[in-house]
Amino acid sequence: MKNALSMYWKYCFLTISLLFSAEAFSQNQPSENKAEIKELDEVLISNNTGQKRKKEESLNVETVNNSFIQRNLGGSLMQSLQKLPGVKTISIGSGGSKPLIRGLSFNQVIVVENGLKHEGQQWGADHGLEIDQYAVNRVEIIKGPSSFIYGSDAVGGAVNIKPLPLPLQNTFGGSVDLTGKSNNAQFGSSINLFGRNKNWFFDSRVTTMDYGDYRVPTDVVHVYSYAVPLYKNHLRNTAGRELDFHLSTGYSGENLKSVFYFSNVHTKSGFFANAHGLEPRNVDLELHDKSSRDILMPYQQVNHLKVSNTTSFQLGNHAFEMQIGFQNNFRREYSHYVNHGYMPPIYPEDMYAPKDLERQYDKDVWSFSAKDEFRFNHHQITVGTNIAGQENAIGGWSFLIPSFTQFNAGVFVYDKMELNEKWFLHGAVRYDYGKIKMKSYYDWFQSPVSENNQTQMQYLQRSQDLTKTFDSFTWSAGINYNPGNLAIKANLGSSFRMPIAKELASNGVNYHYFRFEKGNPNLDAERSYQLDLGIEWNQQNWSFQLTPFVNYFPNFIYLNPTSAHDIYYGAGNQVFEYEQSKVFRYGAEFQTRYYFLKSLSAEISAEYLYSEQKSGSKKGYTLPFSPPPSVLLGLNYEPQISFLKEPYFSVDYRFTAQQNNIVPPEKKTAESHVFNVAFGSKVKSGNQDISINIQIQNLFNTKYLNHTSFYRLIELPEAGRNIIVSMKIPFSFSR
């Protein structure tokens, strides 16, 4: 770890030296030879870069900007993106969620922020995404296998958070974002400051949020067989706090750009008190119901630190880019110590972990990537490499996964060939190598072991020293055809994913699910083959898009419930073991928009997914967290009002079909009907436009279940009516 940090700071020092040398060299040149940079103000064009990329990329890509996020603001970034077809979340209360793309999530979907693969504890259903959505300017959602770009874990797709645009030359400014939400009494603010002279710039942001327990449209929840009353409809102990800091700074010249990026996201949030641990009855209701804003046990504290430098420069026909990064994800989960199994009734005073520290995960990740993009005749070729190493340490009195180290490296070549303005061909190959080394772990307490009619007390071994290596070739081939208003695309590709430590070596009670999870050290790398198609039509008042896909896994990794029950670590919890099976999946997304008038339009978005296990003990069943079919109907009105800029009114209705195609222990989920309304505008204030947006989510306070929710197993309905008011106040000065 120290060597990695030392290498990082040496790299930073060399980069800064290079930048100052470039600046000094530029200033010392004779005036007649000195390059003059002229930067134009922003120009808006009708055919934006997002539409252009969709026409030239064979993968299905959706792009949204910060205006879309602000208009659809949710409790987290992924909740704000759920309006996109094929994109769902595994929600963890009101302040956290993880991406679900076409029914795949966890380590099958990666998140990239400013070119750096986000590395948290993404294996846990209760572990949200440590991303500040106020710091997001533009997001690309890549649906389908993306391993040829990102390597392991991009089996289901990617969420690519693009870097912020650089400030204009000789400017100083910023913005203030204010947000309030009625359901959980949230108030938040985010302050942005930026500045730039000719070549040097900075962009900074501080975000803070504070929210209470969120409310659901019911006064009782059944945690398995136990009825839990809810005080004033509040889901006790789901309050939270968040404090984020971001800073990007660097140099941008004619042929050289170098950006240093620093961010720190810190959250503290409670777990629903009646759905954690082995005994939901032992909850002090009077203590929890005194306040809806306090955070009592059980709760989690997460701090995610990112530091990176991205340097790009032009050399002839070649565009080079290099990035070095470091991340630390420090997660602590706190809960009252309650002995179970053969744990001692009184917590030992000389224990290495605090009494209330249930689990701790400390992950360090360093990474390096480089790529060269150049043109050769009609070919646009990209050659690149990615290298990453991680060290993961554990703590606390409860065990689920062992400490481990991991190394990944990959090289790739991608070629986009432009035959003419209508035809594009794509081809890519990639090779990856990975190694994971897990460490042994013994219980800190003794358990009785019977052998030869004799019983002895022993420290049971939960994990063994284990080293696994994996390697894989992946490939992708695609085509685009764009005759006029029509765009047609097809892509066939393969992906792979290394098994993670939880799948290989877990051996403990998952208190969020009341089950015992056991890893399988014999798992092979997960592989996937997928065919993606796309057809899109655009004309002046009407557009539509259809994106079907077919997907096959010869060895999908999943957690399978067995008939066994553990006898050492809980109240006879059912044992779930990781296995592999053949899986066949297909589905499609459909979008259409029609303009009745220049200011009045209607849209329809629909999605469908089918998955089936073709082998193994769950043959014939679907996969966990498979979203049911859904249709979103929307009506948008954008009138011309003289004293307002870009006003809008919208209402949408989402119909979600019942989900009867389940895999045990999942439960069937009934259909739901949910209405949302939104309106807003920009108001002129001096030379700035103040944006005001208001949403009313779940307008009629409908009680319904979300099949992909973290709390679905305990019949917990989604949040009730939520009024969200957000305001963005920009300011800027030019010199």
Side-chain angles (χ1 to χ4, degrees), residues 104 145 155 492-496 526-532 549-556 581-586 610-615 623:
L104 298 179
V155 175
L492 180 64
S494 67
S495 287
F496 99 109
E526 190 175 74
R527 300 186 183 277
S528 169
Y529 303 91
Q530 183 159 319
L531 173 64
D532 279 275
F549 70 94
V550 179
N551 181 211
Y552 175 68
F553 286 87
N555 54 354
F556 186 89
S581 68
K582 298 177 181 178
V583 171
F584 179 69
R585 307 167 66 247
Y586 63 85
Y610 177 83
S611 58
E612 182 180 344
Q613 299 187 44
K614 293 294 187 179
S615 66
L623 296 176

Side-chain angles (χ1 to χ4, degrees), residues 72 74-82 89 91-97:
N72 300 277
S76 66
L77 173 62
M78 292 312 304
Q79 289 170 345
S80 300
L81 299 177
Q82 286 193 97
T89 68
S91 297
I92 311 148
S94 58
S97 62

Side-chain angles (χ1 to χ4, degrees), residues 565-595:
H565 293 78
D566 90 279
I567 61 174
Y568 287 107
Y569 303 106
N573 294 281
Q574 185 178 8
V575 176
F576 286 60
E577 295 183 348
Y578 280 98
E579 297 183 3
Q580 291 187 286
S581 68
K582 298 177 181 178
V583 171
F584 179 69
R585 307 167 66 247
Y586 63 85
E589 298 89 34
F590 173 76
Q591 296 174 275
T592 184
R593 180 185 290 268
Y594 183 79
Y595 283 87

